Amino acid sequence: MEDKKLRLFSAVQPSGIPTIANYIGAIKNWVTLQDEYECIYSIADLHTLTVKQVPAELRQRTLELLALYLACGVDPEKSVMFVQSHVPQHAELTWILNTMTYPGELSRMTQYKDKSKKHAENVNMGLMDYPVLMAADILLYNAAVVPVGKDQKQHLEIARDLAVRFNNRYSPTFTVPEGFIPKMGANIMSLQDPEHKMSKSDANENAFISMNDDRDTIIRKFKRAVTDSENLIAFDENRKGISNLLTIYCVFSGKTAGQAEAEFKGVGYGDFKLAVGETVANTICPIAERKKQYLADRDYLDKIIIEGKEKASYMAQKMLAKVYKKVGLYTPERKK
Ligand code: TYM
């Protein structure tokens, strides 16, 4: 008998232009996991509405994100790609899970607290409920594996708790998902403030490398990256700036921590930063070029998301029907 592959689910929000942190923490791994798992990759557009968006820009970024997935190597022949709002079962399962989630579980989430501070003028229910929608995303597809960066670990815990809670209250229904968090690069830091994570919504453009940045911009931003005055290129948890740059270098060059440290022994910070910038640009610039080509072919992008919607809907509908039945919602039987 042919071995059935385990299901894998992940998503990125089209909330800004993705950065190398989104690439390192998530999309890069999605590509390598495609052969081992049955992969479903979503564009989490409903999640972005928890923060005010300019509608026309959100629509454009949705397409750009799909083009980026393709440019990074997500293969529509192997993986399902779809837009979250195209499959209404995500919002429907969220409602059911909401009735089993306690406000205290959500209000203690780090991301909720951070975003409530950052968007104090718009602390809405969606912002708080964000992890439940994310749980619905994952549980709808019985995903066993969820590749994400470290910042999503807490949200993944809620998804696991909700799966267990539902299974205990009714009967085994949901797979309890495991996170796939990369050993190197799960928490890429800001280039300007290495105490904080790199974020695509940072107001300071020098803090992140966007997946759209050109070679000169990438090199300039790395040159300006905040480090220290020790002039020693080695991993050290007390020297977050240098450690972050070394991590980025290792991920993009494929070298180990030891190899990178040996390579830069005695090298000055200026030359090191230039080497990091060039290595990153060598990967990012061809991706940006391919992304532009995909974006120019709107029909192809639409075809992929329409097919993705069909495939995802089929799976989601089956799961939601099971859930509705288990919780006691009545469905009339069709008489022949
Ligand atoms: P989002 O769009 O904020 O980020 C997308 C992915 O990038 C990872 N990431 C990072 N990795 C390393 N270092 C960083 N500084 C960094 N910043 C972001 C994130 O961990 C994520 O993997 N809620 C999710 C999207 C989502 C989702 C899901 C993910 C919606 N539904 C279901 C998994 C499963 C988010 O906002 O990601």
Side-chain angles (χ1 to χ4, degrees):
M1 208 176 83
E2 193 189 327
D3 275 347
K4 205 168 173 336
K5 286 182 182 170
L6 287 177
R7 224 13 108 69
L8 177 152
F9 184 98
S10 198
V12 173
Q13 289 189 79
S15 54
I17 304 298
T19 67
I20 55 167
N22 303 123
Y23 176 72
I24 299 172
I27 306 174
K28 181 174 184 288
N29 305 312
W30 296 5
V31 176
T32 50
L33 292 165
Q34 286 184 109
D35 292 317
E36 201 179 328
Y37 296 93
E38 182 189 343
C39 298
I40 305 171
Y41 296 127
S42 185
I43 294 173
D45 58 346
L46 293 173
H47 275 109
T48 65
L49 298 178
T50 56
V51 169
K52 278 189 191 139
Q53 301 291 333
V54 177
E57 288 177 8
L58 175 57
R59 273 189 287 274
Q60 175 62 20
R61 283 198 309 262
T62 300
L63 279 179
E64 288 212 20
L65 190 51
L66 176 66
L68 180 66
Y69 288 0
L70 294 166
C72 289
V74 182
D75 180 352
E77 296 291 324
K78 295 181 183 164
S79 304
V80 174
M81 283 174 266
F82 75 102
V83 178
Q84 186 187 35
S85 64
H86 295 182
V87 180
Q89 287 82 2
H90 289 246
E92 293 174 291
L93 181 60
T94 301
W95 177 255
I96 302 291
L97 296 176
N98 270 338
T99 64
M100 314 179 63
T101 311
Y102 309 110
E105 289 179 293
L106 299 177
S107 60
R108 67 179 172 78
M109 292 285 106
T110 308
Q111 185 173 300
Y112 171 67
K113 288 195 244 173
D114 287 351
K115 286 199 175 168
S116 302
K117 258 189 236 152
K118 198 167 160 202
H119 304 278
E121 79 305 336
N122 182 26
V123 183
N124 59 77
M125 288 306 294
L127 201 57
M128 192 165 165
D129 207 31
Y130 183 109
V132 183
L133 176 57
M134 188 165 150
D137 294 342
I138 298 165
L139 302 184
L140 255 187
Y141 300 96
N142 261 333
V145 181
V146 183
V148 282
K150 205 166 154 205
D151 64 327
Q152 297 299 320
K153 213 172 156 191
Q154 260 194 338
H155 293 165
L156 203 62
E157 274 308 310
I158 294 235
R160 289 169 57 85
D161 289 350
L162 286 171
V164 170
R165 200 171 296 165
F166 189 98
N167 291 349
N168 287 341
R169 190 178 294 182
Y170 300 99
S171 59
T173 308
F174 294 125
T175 301
V176 181
E178 296 284 343
F180 178 101
I181 296 174
K183 283 197 187 72
M184 177 81 96
N187 196 20
I188 298 294
M189 310 312 275
S190 153
L191 298 184
Q192 290 297 311
D193 175 5
E195 293 295 325
H196 289 100
K197 71 167 189 170
M198 184 181 284
S199 162
K200 55 176 141 32
S201 53
D202 200 310
N204 180 353
E205 290 207 351
N206 287 320
F208 56 81
I209 306 288
S210 133
M211 293 298 285
N212 275 357
D213 282 345
D214 60 31
R215 191 172 199 89
D216 290 348
T217 309
I218 294 172
I219 288 171
R220 179 170 35 84
K221 286 184 179 178
F222 275 112
K223 271 191 189 157
R224 289 185 185 166
V226 170
T227 47
D228 51 50
S229 53
E230 284 197 33
N231 242 339
L232 174 69
I233 300 169
F235 279 98
D236 177 347
E237 61 180 65
N238 297 316
R239 293 164 57 228
K240 295 238 167 66
I242 279 293
S243 299
N244 190 43
L245 293 181
L246 268 171
T247 300
I248 293 171
Y249 181 74
C250 286
V251 174
F252 280 96
S253 65
K255 292 185 180 152
T256 62
Q259 285 168 336
E261 284 175 341
E263 185 178 344
F264 294 112
K265 202 163 173 212
V267 172
Y269 280 2
D271 289 342
F272 169 57
K273 288 176 175 180
L274 181 63
V276 180
E278 282 178 341
T279 307
V280 170
N282 289 345
T283 302
I284 296 306
C285 297
I287 291 178
E289 209 39 59
R290 284 198 293 278
K291 184 186 137 186
K292 255 192 230 155
Q293 290 165 7
Y294 280 118
L295 260 183
D297 192 351
R298 176 74 175 266
D299 288 348
Y300 179 65
L301 297 180
D302 281 348
K303 178 174 167 282
I304 289 176
I305 30 182
I306 290 168
E307 284 175 6
K309 172 194 166 161
E310 284 164 4
K311 290 182 193 154
S313 295
Y314 176 76
M315 296 182 254
Q317 210 170 354
K318 258 178 43 182
M319 180 52 112
L320 191 74
K322 207 169 169 186
V323 168
Y324 274 11
K325 194 166 174 204
K326 294 216 181 187
V327 301
L329 301 181
Y330 176 73
T331 315
E333 276 176 31
R334 230 177 236 288
K335 296 275 178 286
K336 287 203 178 110

